[in-house]
């Protein structure tokens, strides 16, 4: 359990931060950037929920987003605890297959209400949809950082963590369409329209 009774510790004043193992890394370290961008994704979803929580037609989506926000803390904890192959004094929190499977089921649920796309979608539409597109792009950045980290010498990222990050941006894309009147309010890209 986490206990936060003092917010500032001054331990990061020199530009380092601690991983969950106690190891200190520079604040610009790729692992720190990855879980920091996961946190940024979570914050953008919080902005989305200002709109989904207030709209009874989006209640189902709001519930899904609440679960995702909790999952994103799990993902941050996963990334904050490097898998070095050594046994730790505690069981590290890791993203598991059930979380990925649930996300896939929720993508399928929302997508069932949508017509197939004939073009790319321009980000925008309703406030919820526009913010979902922003969350999607931030989540893609988090995924890119996670993949870069996974490909770095001496670093590991769990397979399920990578799968979850990949599915999340897919979910946010489908959710943006669903929040745009189940596709009726979205604006499609017209290639070369303004030449």
């Amino acid at each position: 359990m986490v206990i936060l009774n003092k917010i500032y510790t001054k331990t990061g004043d020199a530009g380092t931060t601690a991983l969950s193992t106690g190891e200190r890394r520079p604040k610009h370290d790729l692992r720190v950037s990855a879980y920091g961008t996961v946190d940024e994704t979570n914050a953008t979803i919080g902005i989305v929920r200002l709109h989904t929580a207030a709209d009874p037609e989006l209640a189902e989506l709001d519930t899904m987003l609440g679960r995702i926000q909790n999952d994103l803390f799990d993902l941050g904890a996963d990334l904050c605890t490097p898998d070095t192959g050594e046994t730790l004094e505690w069981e590290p929190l890791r993203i598991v297959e059930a979380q990925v499977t649930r996300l896939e089921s929720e993508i399928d649920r929302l997508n069932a209400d949508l017509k197939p796309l004939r073009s790319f979608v321009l980000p925008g539409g309703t406030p919820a949809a526009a913010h979902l597109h922003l969350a999607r792009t931030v989540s893609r950045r988090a995924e890119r950082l996670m993949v870069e980290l996974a490909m770095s010498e001496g670093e590991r990222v769990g397979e399920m963590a990578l799968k979850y990050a990949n599915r999340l941006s897919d979910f946010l894309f489908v959710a943006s369409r669903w929040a745009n009147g189940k596709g009726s309010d979205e604006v499609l890209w017209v290639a070369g329209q303004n030449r």
Side-chain angles (χ1 to χ4, degrees), residues 36-46 72 135 138-140 142 168 172:
T37 308
V38 167
D39 187 38
E40 189 180 346
T41 302
N42 206 341
T44 60
I45 291 173
L72 288 175
V138 176
S139 75
R140 277 288 188 214
L168 178 59
L172 294 168

Side-chain angles (χ1 to χ4, degrees), residues 48 51-52 58 123-135 172 175-181:
V48 172
H51 304 288
T52 56
L58 299 178
T126 65
H131 285 101
L132 282 159
H133 277 291
L134 178 60
L172 294 168
S176 71
R177 295 191 65 213
W178 198 83
N180 257 339

Side-chain angles (χ1 to χ4, degrees), residues 42 49 80 98 137 164 170 185:
N42 206 341
R49 294 190 70 204
C80 190
T137 61
Y164 188 91
D170 294 335
D185 296 331

